Amino acid sequence: MCGIVGAVSTRNIVPVLVQGLQRLEYRGYDSCGVAVNALTEQLGQAVGLQRARSTSRVAELADQVDASQGGLQGHTGIAHTRWATHGAPAVHNAHPHFSHGPKASVETARPRIALVHNGIIENHDVLRDQLVAKGYVFTSQTDTEVMVHLIDALYQGDLLQAVMQAVQQLQGAYAIAVIAKDEPHRVVGARAGSPLIWGVGKSENFLASDAMALAGVTDQIVYLAEGDVVDIGLNHCQVYDASQQAVSRAVQTVKAQSMAADLGPYQHYMQKEIFEQPRAIADTLEGVEGIVPDLFDPPGKQGVAAKVFANIDNVLILACGTSYYSGCVAKYWLESLARIPCQVEVASEYRYRDSVPDPRTLVVTITQSGETADTLASLRHAQSLGMPHTLTICNVATSAMVRECQLAYITRAGVEIGVASTKAFTTQLAGLFLLTLALAKAKQRLSETDEANHLKAMRHLPVALQSVLALEPLLVAWAQDFSNKENALFLGRGMHYPIALEGALKLKEISYIHAEAYPAGELKHGPLALVTSAMPVVTVAPNDALLEKLKSNLQEVRARGGVLYVLADADTRIQSEEGLHVIRMPEHYGALSPLLHVVPLQLLAYHTACARGTDVDKPRNLAKSVTVE
């Protein structure tokens, strides 16, 4: 959720730190800041730790630290963009945090330690009390400030040793980067439960929470393992494992894409990403010539998936948010096409309840980033219960989720900058449909004819999506109706009920209109009480086995004065009239229909948010990659 960048170099590193923050800003944007072991402009001499912090966007911070305007410069520094957990978005809660030592006057004493942090420290209250008793003065409401004072209290001239001792006392999740006034060419980092990487340069080294932050700076990346502590300098770096033994970690070449993507003709990244879906689906399906287990094998290890598929009888899907809804669609596919029982769990709930493990279950995680804390924790919980067969559908090949699962299918959505997920969702569905077919074939429940027909339909998806995107002007008109509403209802049946859920989520995420979704058959069991002419009701109406039942549900809404907005297949014979607005989908798409029907709902949410003037790409209170529980 938050972003970290750190660096040691022979050049002024501030522009690199700020640029890294700009690339990570989409992940968290309540506040931001940078701290350096500062240099005098004239003599290049160290003058100690200095920082700049802002509750505006990174662009405003960049103006603050502009060296040409008398701002910061230095060879060693750390930077952070924050999504608030402890403490409101305010300058005094923004990172980096300083420690001036015990019983020091914060106003006059020079800071000794600076720190940035992603994650949550669960025992911060106990540690805070201990540090206050030692004379430390707290100036924020954050859990992070506890760590910087703790490291200061342990510091005896060796920053690495102080950090190693401090992390032994921490409970919770963290990725940190720390600098000390008296060690001007050193940054120490540590991680547990939150991602952190080391970027290898020439006479310079970097830390970051995401390789994206270092795009254009270095493509030589080391992914730190759980519990690692890393000590970086100009020409050296040493990693220590959770037992504090020196270890080697593999360097990987990672071609991270720059976040400075050109919007082109689009007004927002979300709109651009909606229109990138035909390309994203085509890329995700590239190279799929047939349905074989090898599609899910780890790199360089053929035959693993075939053995796993032969030894599973059930599927358990673990995911959060939009990814959870893609899993809900997959449940319908797995049980109808592969005839495999499937359970879908909200990852943030799964590990906190008693469940019945089955070693013959395939545990499937779904995540865009591959670093979602709740989903990672639920995966580890399932493994601890004795379920070894794991597979992830993920958009980041180098992520923790991919490294920790037996099998993987990497979607190729590309970088998704808008907080509200669009192309990640549809590419997840594509990967899940392939998994369904692969399991069906492994269980000898997929005929050659059905396999050929499904593959043909999947290859046609990019063209079909282009036809759906051509409906945008009609969705703009709907959005004008929605822009002055404060509540909306979404209905679907069967595998389109999760699509209704996703449509409601998109509307509330970016337009701030309260929206709920229900199976259409549940209307008469309570939600119908909400229906008035002021409550628009959006309905997904494909021409499937439930169509006639759905038409009856629509009549229930109309009889109560409700206004309907229906996404209908062309042959459903649902006609527009007073109180009934119909947009016709270009074609019926059978089992893959959810991939098409979700796109108009994305466009409806997007244009409603535009009409209401909200910040589409960075909606309030939200962040892109949720790396805290």
Side-chain angles (χ1 to χ4, degrees):
M1 299 176 94
C2 306
I4 285 175
V5 193
V8 179
S9 180
T10 56
R11 56 174 161 159
N12 177 24
I13 209 64
V14 172
V16 173
L17 297 177
V18 172
Q19 185 181 60
L21 290 188
Q22 289 171 331
R23 290 173 177 157
L24 296 179
E25 187 174 21
Y26 74 112
R27 297 181 65 153
Y29 40 83
D30 290 330
S31 59
C32 53
V34 58
V36 295
N37 239 326
L39 301 171
T40 59
E41 186 174 356
Q42 292 79 15
L43 301 177
Q45 295 176 337
V47 296
L49 301 179
Q50 295 182 358
R51 68 182 171 191
R53 299 184 292 178
S54 174
T55 53
S56 296
R57 296 290 164 82
V58 175
E60 193 276 336
L61 180 70
D63 291 338
Q64 280 193 51
V65 302
D66 188 346
S68 66
Q69 303 298 319
L72 295 181
Q73 57 177 319
H75 294 162
T76 302
I78 52 178
H80 190 265
T81 180
R82 178 177 186 249
W83 183 83
T85 53
H86 296 72
V91 171
H92 66 275
N93 288 324
H95 301 214
H97 286 285
F98 279 172
S99 181
H100 296 74
K103 298 181 175 63
S105 169
V106 174
E107 290 76 19
T108 59
R110 288 190 173 185
R112 307 196 309 188
I113 304 290
L115 176 145
V116 292
H117 165 226
N118 292 352
I120 292 177
I121 303 304
E122 295 173 355
N123 62 331
H124 67 95
D125 284 335
V126 173
L127 293 172
R128 184 186 297 262
D129 290 343
Q130 294 172 1
L131 290 160
V132 168
K134 292 180 179 180
Y136 283 89
V137 177
F138 284 78
T139 60
S140 78
Q141 288 79 51
T142 68
D143 55 334
T144 298
E145 194 178 2
V146 167
M147 286 188 289
V148 71
H149 291 320
L150 178 60
I151 291 169
D152 181 271
L154 296 166
Y155 184 66
Q156 299 292 326
D158 187 333
L159 184 60
L160 174 65
Q161 290 303 313
V163 171
M164 282 184 163
Q165 292 174 47
V167 297
Q168 300 302 309
Q169 301 183 43
L170 302 179
Q171 297 172 15
Y174 57 83
I176 59 174
V178 194
I179 57 177
K181 174 179 71 70
D182 295 332
E183 299 181 70
H185 288 98
R186 190 181 211 184
V187 180
V188 175
R191 65 148 299 193
S194 293
L196 190 67
I197 63 167
W198 157 34
V200 184
K202 295 180 179 179
S203 296
E204 58 184 11
N205 283 288
F206 308 89
L207 292 180
S209 52
D210 191 316
M212 192 70 61
L214 305 180
V217 177
T218 180
D219 61 1
Q220 299 300 292
I221 302 298
V222 175
Y223 288 89
L224 299 175
E226 185 76 358
D228 277 357
V229 176
V230 60
D231 179 17
I232 70 169
L234 286 173
N235 295 298
H236 79 278
C237 179
Q238 182 60 61
V239 180
Y240 301 86
D241 64 16
S243 63
Q244 301 192 349
Q245 299 299 307
V247 293
S248 296
R249 299 286 184 223
V251 179
Q252 301 181 38
T253 300
V254 176
K255 299 295 184 182
Q257 295 171 271
S258 170
M259 295 308 298
D262 183 8
L263 276 171
Y266 302 105
Q267 187 177 356
H268 298 94
Y269 283 108
M270 182 179 178
Q271 185 186 28
K272 180 175 185 282
E273 288 154 9
I274 290 171
F275 277 82
E276 285 176 341
Q277 287 176 113
R279 189 274 308 158
I281 292 291
D283 288 350
T284 295
L285 299 177
E286 185 180 3
V288 178
E289 301 297 332
I291 303 301
V292 291
D294 294 2
L295 292 171
F296 303 90
D297 277 336
K301 295 183 180 179
Q302 286 191 329
V304 178
K307 292 178 182 177
V308 170
F309 291 172
N311 286 288
I312 63 104
D313 299 320
N314 309 282
V315 172
L316 169 64
I317 295 176
L318 303 170
C320 299
T322 286
S323 297
Y324 170 76
Y325 296 146
S326 70
C328 291
V329 175
K331 175 181 172 70
Y332 286 92
W333 289 337
L334 285 161
E335 295 193 343
S336 65
L337 299 177
R339 309 301 298 168
I340 294 175
C342 177
Q343 185 176 359
V344 188
E345 294 263 7
V346 175
S348 58
E349 290 291 319
Y350 170 68
R351 64 189 286 235
Y352 296 112
R353 71 172 187 83
D354 293 331
S355 57
V356 182
D358 181 348
R360 292 186 64 82
T361 293
L362 178 63
V363 179
V364 177
T365 63
I366 311 170
T367 163
Q368 187 279 137
S369 68
E371 305 289 350
T372 307
D374 285 318
T375 310
L376 276 168
S378 67
L379 167 69
R380 293 162 185 162
H381 179 65
Q383 291 169 326
S384 74
L385 294 177
M387 293 190 283
H389 302 311
T390 58
L391 181 151
T392 188
I393 306 292
C394 182
N395 193 43
V396 182
T398 55
S399 65
M401 193 70 73
V402 174
R403 295 195 299 271
E404 294 190 26
C405 284
Q406 264 187 313
L407 311 174
Y409 192 82
I410 308 302
T411 58
R412 297 179 185 174
V415 177
E416 193 176 62
I417 300 173
V419 165
S421 181
T422 52
K423 61 180 180 174
F425 178 74
T426 47
T427 53
Q428 286 170 355
L429 288 177
L432 288 163
F433 194 73
L434 282 176
L435 175 62
T436 298
L437 298 182
L439 288 172
K441 190 171 183 179
K443 302 298 182 185
Q444 299 183 334
R445 294 164 189 160
L446 182 70
S447 69
E448 290 185 9
T449 300
D450 286 342
E451 178 181 352
N453 289 338
H454 286 310
L455 282 171
K456 181 179 179 181
M458 293 193 81
R459 294 189 184 109
H460 182 62
L461 272 172
V463 174
L465 283 166
Q466 290 286 10
S467 299
V468 176
L469 290 167
L471 300 173
E472 185 181 31
L474 302 177
L475 275 306
V476 172
W478 278 17
Q480 293 304 313
D481 293 348
F482 277 68
S483 64
N484 62 359
K485 306 296 184 183
E486 293 303 326
N487 300 281
L489 201 59
F490 286 69
L491 303 177
R493 297 202 72 146
M495 64 184 174
H496 292 87
Y497 166 49
I499 297 304
L501 286 164
E502 173 64 7
L505 177 62
K506 285 293 154 287
L507 189 68
K508 69 182 93 172
E509 277 182 310
I510 61 171
S511 74
Y512 315 145
I513 294 172
H514 171 248
E516 292 190 66
Y518 288 93
E522 285 293 293
L523 266 180
K524 55 188 173 292
H525 297 292
L528 201 56
L530 297 171
V531 172
T532 69
S533 59
M535 169 80 84
V537 180
V538 181
T539 308
V540 182
N543 189 7
D544 59 16
L546 292 171
L547 177 62
E548 294 307 317
K549 297 287 187 184
L550 182 63
K551 286 182 178 180
S552 298
N553 303 140
L554 300 186
Q555 292 302 321
E556 294 168 3
V557 173
R558 296 203 67 199
R560 275 76 180 177
V563 180
L564 286 159
Y565 295 80
V566 182
L567 294 168
D569 284 344
D571 49 0
T572 54
R573 292 183 293 177
I574 301 174
Q575 303 295 329
S576 293
E577 54 186 87
E578 184 68 25
L580 176 58
H581 308 277
V582 180
I583 291 179
R584 300 205 173 280
M585 299 290 286
E587 56 185 306
H588 176 56
Y589 222 66
L592 290 167
S593 175
L595 280 87
L596 302 189
H597 273 89
V598 75
V599 175
L601 300 182
Q602 295 170 348
L603 288 167
L604 174 61
Y606 170 74
H607 285 289
T608 301
C610 289
R612 289 168 68 93
T614 62
D615 191 339
V616 172
D617 287 332
K618 298 182 175 71
R620 68 189 182 202
N621 304 333
L622 300 179
K624 184 64 179 176
S625 181
V626 186
T627 55
V628 297
E629 289 189 58

